[in-house]
Amino acid sequence: MPTTKKKYNLPKGYSLLEATLKTKEFLKNPVTFIAKSMAHFGSTEYTAILGYNSKVILTKNPNFISYVLKDNNRNYEKSDFVSGRARDFLGNGLVFNNGADWLKQRRLIQPAFHRQKLKGLYGIVIQTIKEFLKTAPTGEVDVFPLVNELSFNVLINSLFDLSFSPEIKAELSQLLIDIQAFLVKDVNHPFGRLLYPFTGTERTIVKKSARLRAILLDIINDRKASTKEYCDVLDMLLNSRYEDTGEPMSEDRLIDELLVLVFAGHETTGTSLSWQLYLLANNPDVKSKLMASFEDMTIENCLNNEYFKATINEGMRLYPAAWVTERIALADDEFGDYSYPKGTLVVPFFYGLHRDENLWENATAFQPERFLKDGTLIRSKQFFPFGAGPRMCIGNHFALAEMHFFLYAFLKEFKLEATDQVPEMTPLLTLRPDKILLRISRLERRII
Ligand code: HEM
């Protein structure tokens, strides 16, 4: 009997040939390319055919994004396209995991990141920030490497409340940087893999990954042998037990999860903070209003300042560190008039959504007030800085607290001014700037 091929109604987009010809332009600047393509097809979505049975729908439609991440999340998982390779070098931690195993791990780890539990870590976060600011450079400074290093220190100190040797800390950071750089190149240029046997690139990364795991294993073993009391994430994870078996995580799994936390929490926060400083330096009115709102506030209670929360939201709206994500459809699906087959990759384009002129008035302006009603923060269904649904960022409260503490401490201690430099976005896994040059000077009177 002849079989009839099922017809799907995908958004308009690029054929295989067009997508192939445009690869170079896409890789040069994916954010600009995707935004331009959406404008070109006159829609909030477009499709790119990447091969036989390989289709990608990119979307900035908030309802479509909610549908995929939240309402029908059971039909979607992280694709092997990105996560598969990451798993080879960083293990199967939360960000890369899927299905029942992901759920089991998420349930085990989630309590460590509960807002109430995190309060126990705030002392470490604040202390790390204050120490860091003591030696922060002044003059015309590229703030991206600076705050990126700070966010690494905050994370490492909160995960492992240890006095690390600076050498080990630097090694850990460098190993992660090298593995991440490799992954980005590997995923964007899969044909380059053919050369690995000759160049030895993959062998080097395998060795670096093994070294990374060995460092973490040493930390875990030292901790297990210690009789001291700790109040860090490692301690919480060592003490957590699976609901069904009452067993703790194996050492291997613990290493996977710790690695993923550093991977997911470091550059995202560093990038967000860099853009926040840039926006504040270039919007002195907002900065003055924010500083005025700090009157009578301490670093500990600045988390309750509504104007501060709105300012941070507004920064993450304009520069969402996680500018994009991806899910693969496990079965044929439909959204609105569209229908698409199992295996279609759906890519929520948060950056485009957050700057859509049809959804945000004066979309490119930095106006924290848009997140306030009668002085209180409002929720928005078109704002996804930490994703949505069951896979929403596990570290969102941690990241927000760190951003509040850092910006408060920084603005109280330093004068911040813009320069003529206009930063470029160099989006890799996060929406990194190439550099952000700002003029920084220490205030006469130390306030904190
Ligand atoms: C401003 C900083 C941050 C931003 C913008 C951010 C953003 C995000 C987003 C958008 C997702 C969801 C991705 C998806 O749905 O595919 C996510 C997931 C995740 N984030 Fe964050 N994140 C930040 C900080 C952190 C921190 C500090 C940690 C940990 C300490 C963390 C750990 C994770 C983990 C483990 C996941 C995976 C959750 C899962 O799949 O179950 N993130 N993050």
Side-chain angles (χ1 to χ4, degrees), residues 411-431:
L411 292 175
K412 287 265 181 179
E413 284 226 30
F414 294 91
K415 188 169 168 201
L416 178 68
E417 289 167 299
T419 64
D420 292 341
Q421 184 252 350
V422 180
E424 297 276 329
M425 287 180 290
T426 52
L428 294 171
L429 298 174
T430 68
L431 193 67

Side-chain angles (χ1 to χ4, degrees), residues 69 78 94-95 102 106 113 155 260-261 264-265 268-269 272 316 321-322 325 327 385-387 391-395 398-399 403:
L69 298 184
K78 293 275 178 94
L94 277 187
V95 176
W102 163 79
R106 176 95 192 195
F113 286 90
L155 198 54
V260 139
L261 291 173
T268 41
T269 316
S272 300
M316 288 195 295
T325 190
R327 293 290 190 277
F386 294 107
R391 299 201 74 143
M392 189 172 165
C393 178
I394 208 169
F398 181 91
M403 287 200 272

Side-chain angles (χ1 to χ4, degrees), residues 183-232:
L183 279 174
V184 169
K185 230 175 163 175
D186 179 86
V187 169
N188 283 332
H189 302 278
F191 293 120
R193 289 174 201 167
L194 297 172
L195 297 175
Y196 292 163
F198 309 105
T199 58
T201 315
E202 187 162 358
R203 272 196 305 279
T204 311
I205 295 298
V206 168
K207 276 192 198 145
K208 291 190 179 198
S209 160
R211 173 69 189 138
L212 199 56
R213 298 184 78 87
I215 295 177
L216 291 179
L217 184 61
D218 281 349
I219 295 174
I220 294 170
N221 285 336
D222 285 352
R223 174 63 58 88
K224 282 183 174 167
S226 166
T227 50
K228 227 179 108 185
E229 280 211 6
Y230 287 88
C231 176
D232 55 10

